[in-house]
């Protein structure tokens, strides 16, 4: 029998329940300290409702974010940061609830800040204590499955080092069996070679062996031994591929009737993508209202300074090479694409992007529009249609895309966005296209709803200040 590793928030339901209790206790303590009464806030109608909102927000964060991802491995100060972010999101959610229902006059502001302060330290402390308990239990349990590794002798040291990086795995590494030679009694980084391949079945009958990890490129050989081990009730793990920076996300899926190992730069859940899409729809609707207002203001100025259409469309390349029409306010003179060839020598970017300081193709008002990203506003229509997202990677032009090398396509693994990690990292200071690819790839591989929110907040600041724009 094998206990499958639990995925998602269910894996850490103990921490979720702990957070629920901790936040409710923090709510009670803040209520008692603020009002100096020894009674539960649930008996007061409005504060009782607020406590239920805290509960719903806690469950929502567990279901739709990566709040508990890698929580066992988080060190002391890393957990401090995560606890602060978690408590801050609860605080923001409560304030949105109060403002939305126009109940700000009912609640005490001091109470909210007391609750945030107490909940932050309470989450940090309670999570740290529970992690300590879980870690000790994991490492000291006598019932941890005992694992034997069957591999070639040349792989042994690398496998020990790979296993050692994960200190909190659920099995106990018991030793090796070499498939290419007999070395019984030898040690590899303090782990013994317990048997040779021919006598391993006898060893497994007379010793505790719960699981076997087979690392061998010969699948026929591995399958033969796996079948014999399965007859003994031993769980077998095949080594398919080694985890690396771009393939850390792997799941077993069904594809055309086959069981397959699926790996991607980022594996997301349906609820996460649903939340992102809902954010895109609401954000684009608000953005289109702003676009209409700016059309009334800047449209006549664009036409006077450069007669012609006030809007500009261009074919761009989106997710994994899909092409679509991108819309902008026209900020350049007609024929700007033809003039681009004459300015290639002045390109400030090192790589497959184009940027020129004091670009002569830009009309006078265009400099202001670009500095504050006003020219980008019509792209809210692209977001509403689903061609783009509020946050993503900037879509390249067709001619830029055609010059891409293989690893450059990684930045197109997600829907393109109005803004992204590159834009909020000082877009005018970054000159090397490889740095742009690195930032975009980092965004995709580490994506979360929280990251999108942080990028949007930073983008608003940049739009108003013009910092980072050329």
């Amino acid at each position: 029998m094998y206990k499958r590793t639990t995925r998602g928030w269910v894996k850490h339901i103990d921490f979720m329940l702990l957070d629920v209790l901790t936040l409710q206790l923090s709510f009670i303590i803040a209520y008692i300290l603020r009002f100096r009464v020894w009674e539960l806030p649930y008996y007061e109608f409005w504060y009782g409702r607020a406590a239920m909102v805290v509960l719903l927000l806690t469950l929502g964060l567990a279901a739709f974010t990566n709040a508990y991802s890698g929580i066992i491995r988080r060190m002391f100060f890393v957990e401090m940061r995560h606890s602060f972010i978690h408590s801050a999101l609860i605080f923001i959610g409560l304030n949105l609830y109060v403002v939305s229902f126009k109940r700000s006059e009912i609640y005490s502001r001091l109470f909210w800040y007391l609750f945030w302060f107490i909940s932050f330290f309470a989450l940090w402390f309670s999570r740290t204590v529970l992690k300590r308990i879980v870690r000790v239990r994991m490492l000291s349990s006598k019932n941890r499955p005992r694992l034997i590794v069957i591999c070639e002798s040349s792989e042994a040291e690398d496998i020990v080092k790979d296993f050692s990086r994960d200190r909190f795995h659920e099995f106990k590494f018991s030793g090796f069996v070499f498939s290419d030679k007999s070395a019984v009694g030898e040690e590899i980084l303090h782990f013994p070679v317990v048997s040779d391949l021919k006598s391993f079945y006898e060893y497994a009958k007379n010793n505790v062996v719960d699981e076997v990890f087979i690392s061998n490129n010969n699948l026929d050989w591995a399958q033969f031994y796996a079948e014999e081990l399965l007859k003994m009730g031993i769980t077998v793990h095949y080594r398919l591929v080694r985890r690396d920076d771009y393939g850390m996300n792997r799941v077993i899926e069904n594809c055309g009737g086959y069981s397959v190992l699926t790996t991607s730069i980022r594996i997301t859940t349906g609820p996460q993508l649903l939340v992102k899409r809902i954010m895109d729809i609401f954000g684009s609707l608000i953005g289109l209202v702003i676009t209409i207002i700016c059309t009334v203001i800047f449209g006549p100025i664009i036409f006077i300074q450069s007669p012609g259409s006030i809007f500009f469309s261009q074919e761009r390349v989106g997710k994994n090479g899909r092409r679509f029409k991108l819309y902008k306010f026209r900020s350049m003179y007609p024929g700007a694409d033809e003039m681009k060839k004459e300015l290639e020598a002045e390109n400030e970017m090192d790589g497959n992007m184009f940027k020129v300081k004091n670009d002569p193709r830009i009309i006078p008002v265009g400099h202001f529009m670009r500095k504050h990203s006003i020219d980008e506003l019509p792209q809210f229509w692209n977001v509403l249609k689903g061609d783009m997202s509020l946050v993503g990677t900037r879509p390249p032009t067709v001619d830029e895309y055609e010059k891409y090398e293989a690893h450059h396509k990684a930045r197109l693994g997600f829907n393109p966005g109005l803004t992204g990690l590159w834009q909020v990292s000082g877009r005018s200071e970054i000159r090397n296209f490889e740095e742009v690819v690195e930032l975009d790839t980092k965004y995709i591989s580490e994506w979360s709803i929280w990251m999108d929110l942080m990028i949007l907040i930073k983008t608003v600041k940049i739009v108003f200040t013009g910092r980072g724009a050329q």
Side-chain angles (χ1 to χ4, degrees):
M1 183 188 299
Y2 173 65
K3 185 184 76 173
R4 187 176 182 181
T5 302
T6 310
R7 302 288 181 184
W9 63 269
V10 178
K11 179 180 180 180
H12 295 299
I13 194 169
D14 48 351
F15 283 93
M16 185 193 73
L17 293 175
L18 177 70
D19 283 357
V20 168
L21 293 174
T22 301
L23 288 166
Q24 291 298 312
L25 183 60
S26 300
F27 196 93
I28 294 170
I29 293 173
Y31 184 82
I32 293 173
L33 290 177
R34 170 60 184 89
F35 297 105
R36 300 179 183 178
V37 293
W38 289 97
E39 62 180 37
L40 296 176
Y42 309 110
Y43 295 113
E44 205 286 322
F45 179 76
W46 291 108
Y47 282 90
R49 288 187 63 174
M52 293 303 102
V53 172
V54 171
L55 174 61
L56 293 174
L57 288 170
T58 307
L59 298 177
L61 287 175
F64 297 111
T65 70
N66 295 321
Y68 304 109
S69 177
I71 191 169
I72 298 295
R73 295 167 179 81
R74 292 179 197 162
M75 295 298 103
F76 189 72
F77 289 107
V78 175
E79 190 57 60
M80 178 183 181
R81 177 169 61 86
H82 280 273
S83 297
F84 178 81
I85 292 171
H86 198 101
S87 61
L89 287 174
I90 297 291
F91 179 77
I92 292 170
L94 278 171
N95 278 275
L96 289 174
Y97 157 74
V98 170
V99 171
S100 299
F101 288 91
K102 299 180 181 179
R103 301 298 181 190
S104 55
E105 74 284 353
I106 294 175
Y107 296 101
S108 165
R109 293 181 182 177
L110 177 59
F111 166 78
W112 291 133
Y113 285 105
L114 274 173
F115 170 64
W116 185 10
F117 179 81
I118 295 170
S119 64
F120 161 51
F121 284 101
L123 284 173
W124 186 20
F125 176 78
S126 61
R127 288 179 174 184
T128 301
V129 171
L130 181 57
K131 281 195 293 186
R132 177 66 178 171
I133 295 171
V134 171
R135 287 171 178 172
V136 170
R137 187 185 65 189
M138 287 176 63
L139 297 177
S140 62
S141 174
K142 295 180 180 179
N143 294 320
R144 291 171 70 195
R146 297 190 182 185
L147 178 80
I148 297 293
V149 172
I150 301 178
C151 66
E152 294 182 359
S153 56
S154 59
E155 299 177 295
E157 286 195 15
D158 288 336
I159 289 175
V160 171
K161 292 174 182 177
D162 289 339
F163 281 8
S164 297
R165 291 190 183 100
D166 184 4
R167 295 186 299 141
F168 304 111
H169 45 65
E170 296 185 357
F171 59 82
K172 181 179 180 180
F173 188 19
S174 297
F176 288 102
V177 173
F178 288 157
S179 60
D180 57 335
K181 69 176 185 179
S182 177
V184 180
E186 294 183 12
E187 289 192 352
I188 307 298
L189 300 180
H190 307 296
F191 290 99
V193 179
V194 298
S195 173
D196 57 35
L197 201 56
K198 291 181 179 179
S199 59
F200 179 58
Y201 297 127
E202 192 66 27
Y203 175 88
K205 284 192 295 183
N206 298 320
N207 294 272
V208 178
V209 178
D210 297 299
E211 302 177 15
V212 172
F213 178 92
I214 298 179
S215 175
N216 195 288
N217 293 326
N218 189 326
L219 293 181
D220 292 334
W221 175 93
Q223 186 170 351
F224 172 78
Y225 279 90
E227 288 174 356
E228 296 301 315
L229 292 169
L230 288 170
K231 291 176 183 178
M232 299 172 65
I234 295 173
T235 298
V236 178
H237 304 281
Y238 290 101
R239 171 180 167 176
L240 298 178
V241 285
R242 187 177 182 277
R243 187 175 68 182
D244 52 38
D245 289 340
Y246 290 110
M248 293 181 67
N249 301 298
R250 291 191 168 97
V251 293
I252 301 296
E253 294 283 311
N254 292 317
C255 183
Y258 293 90
S259 292
V260 297
L261 178 71
T262 300
T263 180
S264 176
I265 190 172
R266 182 73 171 92
I267 293 177
T268 59
T269 64
Q272 287 176 320
L273 293 178
L274 176 62
V275 172
K276 184 174 176 66
R277 183 57 186 153
I278 291 173
M279 287 171 55
D280 286 343
I281 292 172
F282 279 97
S284 62
L285 291 174
I286 296 171
L288 287 172
V289 173
I290 299 172
T291 304
I292 293 171
I293 296 171
C294 287
T295 302
V296 175
I297 297 172
F298 291 96
I301 301 174
I302 295 171
F303 185 81
I304 292 170
Q305 292 186 351
S306 175
S309 174
I310 63 174
F311 294 103
F312 169 77
S313 67
Q314 185 182 49
E315 189 174 39
R316 293 290 183 101
V317 181
K319 182 179 179 181
N320 293 328
R322 293 173 175 82
R323 301 192 180 191
F324 67 98
K325 285 285 186 181
L326 177 141
Y327 300 96
K328 302 175 73 171
F329 281 122
R330 185 167 61 86
S331 60
M332 292 184 173
Y333 292 104
D337 285 340
E338 288 72 22
M339 293 173 63
K340 178 180 177 181
K341 298 177 182 178
E342 302 173 9
L343 298 170
E344 288 287 354
E346 301 179 37
N347 185 12
E348 299 175 3
M349 294 294 291
D350 180 15
N352 299 323
M353 295 185 78
F354 183 81
K355 184 182 291 186
V356 175
K357 189 175 182 180
N358 298 320
D359 194 330
R361 301 174 299 165
I362 301 176
I363 62 178
V365 73
H367 292 285
F368 175 83
M369 295 172 66
R370 284 172 165 244
K371 181 177 181 180
H372 296 281
S373 301
I374 296 171
D375 62 318
E376 311 279 358
L377 289 176
Q379 289 166 45
F380 281 113
W381 176 244
N382 291 114
V383 175
L384 185 62
K385 289 200 307 174
D387 296 327
M388 296 175 64
S389 179
L390 292 178
V391 184
T393 61
R394 288 303 293 159
T397 60
V398 174
D399 60 322
E400 290 171 350
Y401 174 72
E402 290 174 347
K403 298 175 184 176
Y404 272 17
E405 296 178 18
H407 70 282
H408 295 156
K409 284 198 67 176
R411 68 185 301 265
L412 301 178
F414 227 36
N415 258 6
L418 273 172
T419 185
L421 191 58
W422 166 50
Q423 285 85 346
V424 300
S425 300
R427 62 183 189 258
S428 66
E429 285 79 22
I430 298 176
R431 302 295 184 212
N432 192 319
F433 178 63
E434 296 297 335
E435 291 183 45
V436 175
V437 174
E438 184 179 347
L439 283 171
D440 286 340
T441 305
K442 175 182 173 66
Y443 166 75
I444 296 172
S445 62
E446 299 179 5
W447 174 80
S448 67
I449 297 296
W450 173 251
M451 178 182 279
D452 275 6
L453 290 173
M454 290 298 98
I455 289 174
L456 287 172
I457 291 170
K458 290 180 180 179
T459 300
V460 171
K461 180 180 178 181
I462 290 172
V463 166
F464 281 105
T465 62
R467 183 186 65 81
Q470 178 171 297

